[in-house]
Structure formats: structure tokens, C-alpha cells
Amino acid sequence: MTLEESIALIKTCAKEMDARYGKTVFDEWAIVSLAENKARVLSYTGPRNDDFLKNFASDIGELRKELHDMSYGTGDFAFERHGVGTGFEAFLVMGFGIYLICNNTTESMDIIAKNPSWLEAQVPFAALSDKIRQNPVKISWGDTQMVNKPK
């Protein structure tokens, strides 16, 4: 799958999650490449476009060890229940060295998960995971050169 195709799937997933949850689940969605131990933002939607990459190392927090866990394959994901503020709540492996980072900059995953609607909101996320697993994201060198600003 191309980067553009994955962005369209993510936008659909976000809308469906928010509709099922009753409000915004994740206000920050970013596709990042961590190839060669360098973080490159390939796509970003959220409230802090200029600060996302600058604060990436500190915001990854407890998910850092999960990102380096080689047992995660394409389509696999992890949640950090105690991420607070700009600390990332989740990631989804989209392809080799490519991750979707999901975050709610105002609520922790623990608070989100306490809402009974959270179970239903996970359905579109799991569907996105399955689609990515079946067709991983592949990027060209040109894709890693730019940061896409929200439209």
C-alpha cells in the first residue's frame, strides 16, 4: 500500500472511532519512519505540527521499549495506558520501520478506556490493523524527505 492509501484509511478509521466513541479518541495521528534510527515524519494530523518531531524522543515514553520489540509484526499494535498529555498512547506497525503513532493530547489512555464506548471504538482500529497486515505500507526514498502538513 502507498503512503497516500494508508493516510486515507487512517482518516476513515479516525472518523469511525470518534463516531462510535462519541468524541475524539486520538487528536494526533502520525506516520513515522524509524529506519536507520532516525525519526522521519511522513504524515501528521494534529494540534502540534511544529512540535511533534521536536518532542518525539520524550513523548514516546513507555512505548519506546515496545517499538524496539522485534516480536511486533506488520499490523500489530500496542497501547500505553498511562500516557499523559503529549505522551503517545498507541502505535501500529504499518511496515518495515514504519509506524502509526496515535495520541490524545488531553486525556490518558486509562481515561479513554474507562468510557464504555471505548470497546466499540476499537472495532475500526482493529479493522485498520487487519488491512495494514494484509497490505503493508511501502515508501520510497522521496516519501521520507517531507512532512505533510494538515489540510
Side-chain angles (χ1 to χ4, degrees):
M1 150 178 348
T2 67
L3 183 61
E4 291 76 23
E5 290 168 334
S6 70
I7 292 168
L9 286 176
I10 292 164
K11 286 180 180 181
T12 299
C13 175
K15 286 179 186 173
E16 289 177 11
M17 286 182 76
D18 294 350
R20 291 172 184 230
Y21 190 71
K23 63 180 186 174
T24 300
V25 177
F26 299 123
D27 62 348
E28 195 165 59
W29 297 78
I31 302 173
V32 298
S33 167
L34 299 180
E36 301 172 11
N37 292 319
K38 295 179 185 174
R40 295 178 184 96
V41 179
L42 306 177
S43 175
Y44 178 83
T45 300
R48 55 188 192 122
N49 190 62
D50 295 333
D51 292 331
F52 179 81
L53 187 58
K54 183 171 67 174
N55 297 318
F56 187 85
S58 61
D59 289 344
I60 199 67
E62 293 298 315
L63 283 177
R64 178 183 313 280
K65 71 177 180 181
E66 301 290 333
L67 281 171
H68 293 292
D69 185 338
M70 299 308 285
S71 67
Y72 286 98
T74 300
D76 292 344
F77 54 86
F79 289 97
E80 167 51 46
R81 304 253 328 159
H82 305 292
V84 179
T86 59
F88 304 144
E89 268 83 38
F91 74 82
L92 167 67
V93 181
M94 299 188 71
F96 182 75
I98 304 168
Y99 301 88
L100 172 63
I101 303 293
C102 306
N103 188 34
N104 185 311
T105 58
T106 60
E107 293 183 346
S108 71
M109 196 68 232
D110 192 46
I111 291 171
I112 292 167
K114 287 180 181 174
N115 183 323
S117 299
W118 170 236
L119 289 175
E120 186 64 25
Q122 292 177 69
V123 173
F125 193 85
L128 174 64
S129 170
D130 288 341
K131 289 174 185 172
I132 297 294
R133 186 173 284 113
Q134 294 168 9
N135 190 9
V137 175
K138 295 185 176 105
I139 58 171
S140 67
W141 177 250
D143 290 333
T144 64
Q145 298 294 310
M146 57 191 301
V147 173
N148 299 322
K149 295 199 178 208
K151 295 179 182 175

